[in-house]
Amino acid sequence: MGSSNETSNTGPVVNPWKAKDSNESLTPGGSSGGSAAAVAADLCFGATGTDTGGSIRQPASFTGTVGVKGTYGRTSRWGVVAFASSLDHPGPFAKTVKDSALLLQAMSGHDPKDSTSLPNDVPDFAAAVGQSVKGLKIGVPKEYRVDGMPAEIDEVWQKGIDWLKAAGCEIVDISLPHTKYALPAYYIVAPAEASSNLARYDGMRYGNRVEGKDLNDTYEKTRAAGFGHEVQRRIMIGTYVLSAGYYDAYYLRAQKVRTRILQDFDQAFEKVDAILTPAAPSAAFGLGTKSDDPIAMYLNDVFTVTANLAGVPAMSVPAGLDKSGLPLGLQVITRALDEETMFKVGAAIEDSAGFGFKAEKWW
């Protein structure tokens, strides 16, 4: 779990990209950073990830790849180790928008083994790539201009706005007023669901098992050995917010905030066809530079968690490089079940950006 891939059981994944004149190992983002790094390093043409609060889109931004999550329920969660069941979105990483559309199409469709899987027909996502975006209304939310955001993030966002305007889109300033509550709500809902989901890993039926002197001792030793510190932190937070006397104050209130966030999107999509934002608040950072500060790490999800809370489709498209030569991504968000518009807009950004950069040989 986490936005830097440093809590993996086998150690951190290393981003194939390096900053100019530096040999520092950088994070590929997380938590699906392994998949993003594999695509960026040309180990494969595409890979799957799971996006619970940005775990596909933030690594895609950090590695110069395309990362997509569809509408909640569009892709089956069957076979995925559940983190937060109401937020988990499996989706693809790819090198181009067209490839990501093909992959999402292959992954989508009803699965009777997943009770949240949508029964809707799957459109031809790939056919939307390359279609004209002329006449589309693109929303730019004022709440995404956060304090302390690097100027380069703002500049690439402005470039994206200019590209879409040049392609014939109408740019509309919008407000998503409950955005500032998204991270706090997410970090209540997600750990609460994680603490419930991960209770099954008790050393009895499957997975890791450490023998103890009695049943309770076996449980305690198994979970202490089987879960890393970040997972343990989130389980403890989740158990706390679900406990008697705190459930109403935290979990129920967070769910009400989540409803408000969804209403913000519903109201915005009455005026616009898609929303354009940065994908991440920075470029890739060095391994170990933020790992001792959980709050700084959680802030990496500031632009992405809202789409998970609302269950709407979103993607990250590589749009440029920062002054250190590291990739930066733009995020496209559309209304539920309208992935076609998302791919249409994403492809228009891809064409305008002409992002042909690759990591230098990493071996």
Side-chain angles (χ1 to χ4, degrees):
M1 294 179 183
S3 303
S4 68
N5 219 280
E6 292 174 275
T7 66
S8 304
N9 187 47
T10 50
V13 176
V14 178
N15 193 331
W17 288 80
K18 290 265 199 296
K20 283 178 190 168
D21 305 319
S22 171
N23 202 37
E24 182 185 22
S25 292
L26 304 177
T27 173
S31 49
S32 296
S35 297
V39 175
D42 286 334
L43 299 180
C44 53
F45 289 110
T48 57
T50 47
D51 193 310
T52 306
S55 290
I56 291 175
R57 289 159 291 151
Q58 185 245 20
S61 181
F62 280 10
T63 57
T65 56
V66 178
V68 179
K69 78 166 199 68
T71 305
Y72 180 77
R74 183 66 96 177
T75 51
S76 172
R77 292 183 296 111
W78 175 259
V80 174
V81 175
F83 169 15
S85 300
S86 73
L87 298 164
D88 293 344
H89 296 65
F93 291 93
K95 298 181 183 185
T96 67
V97 173
K98 182 76 172 279
D99 284 358
S100 71
L102 289 166
L103 285 167
L104 186 68
Q105 197 166 327
M107 293 173 71
S108 298
H110 180 63
D111 181 358
K113 292 176 178 174
D114 176 3
S115 62
T116 61
S117 177
L118 295 170
N120 305 58
D121 291 336
V122 180
D124 187 348
F125 297 146
V129 176
Q131 289 183 9
S132 172
V133 295
K134 190 173 182 179
L136 290 182
K137 293 182 177 179
I138 307 297
V140 177
K142 62 182 182 182
E143 288 80 10
Y144 280 60
R145 298 188 189 281
V146 296
D147 291 339
M149 186 166 77
E152 290 162 308
I153 303 290
D154 205 38
E155 286 164 16
V156 80
W157 190 10
Q158 187 57 52
K159 277 185 187 173
I161 292 167
D162 294 340
W163 292 332
L164 292 177
K165 196 184 291 184
C169 295
E170 180 186 342
I171 307 302
V172 181
D173 289 327
I174 61 169
S175 177
L176 299 170
H178 292 89
T179 296
K180 62 183 175 182
Y181 304 116
L183 268 180
Y186 173 82
Y187 279 104
I188 290 172
V189 174
E193 295 186 10
S195 93
S196 176
N197 277 323
L198 296 178
R200 70 193 69 168
Y201 294 94
D202 54 10
M204 294 296 113
R205 288 157 289 184
Y206 43 71
N208 193 58
R209 181 186 179 111
V210 180
E211 296 292 346
K213 63 180 186 292
D214 55 30
L215 185 62
N216 283 337
D217 195 41
T218 299
Y219 281 162
E220 289 171 6
K221 286 181 176 174
T222 295
R223 288 178 170 147
F227 293 134
H229 293 308
E230 180 60 30
V231 177
Q232 290 176 9
R233 177 187 287 120
R234 296 193 191 196
I235 289 171
M236 293 303 291
I237 292 169
T239 304
Y240 175 78
V241 300
L242 291 177
S243 60
Y246 296 102
Y247 180 85
D248 290 350
Y250 292 103
Y251 188 71
L252 278 187
R253 188 171 290 181
Q255 291 287 25
K256 289 175 182 175
V257 170
R258 184 178 187 174
T259 301
R260 294 290 189 206
I261 289 168
L262 176 57
Q263 289 170 350
D264 286 350
F265 277 111
D266 287 342
Q267 288 167 13
F269 287 128
E270 289 174 8
K271 303 173 192 169
V272 299
D273 301 295
I275 294 170
L276 181 69
T277 78
S282 72
F285 50 87
L287 291 171
T289 57
K290 295 186 181 180
S291 53
D292 60 347
D293 186 348
I295 302 300
M297 198 68 78
Y298 295 168
L299 287 170
N300 277 288
D301 302 328
V302 67
F303 296 139
T304 50
V305 293
T306 50
N308 296 83
L309 290 164
V312 294
M315 73 187 299
S316 175
V317 183
L321 301 177
D322 73 357
K323 63 176 180 286
S324 299
L326 297 174
L328 300 172
L330 287 174
Q331 178 177 223
V332 179
I333 307 170
T334 52
R335 58 175 64 83
L337 298 174
D338 190 15
E339 287 89 352
E340 289 164 289
T341 298
M342 175 183 71
F343 284 119
K344 203 186 296 185
V345 175
I349 292 170
E350 180 180 61
D351 288 345
S352 298
F355 188 92
F357 308 104
K358 297 183 83 67
E360 292 183 13
K361 288 200 171 181
W362 46 276
W363 64 89

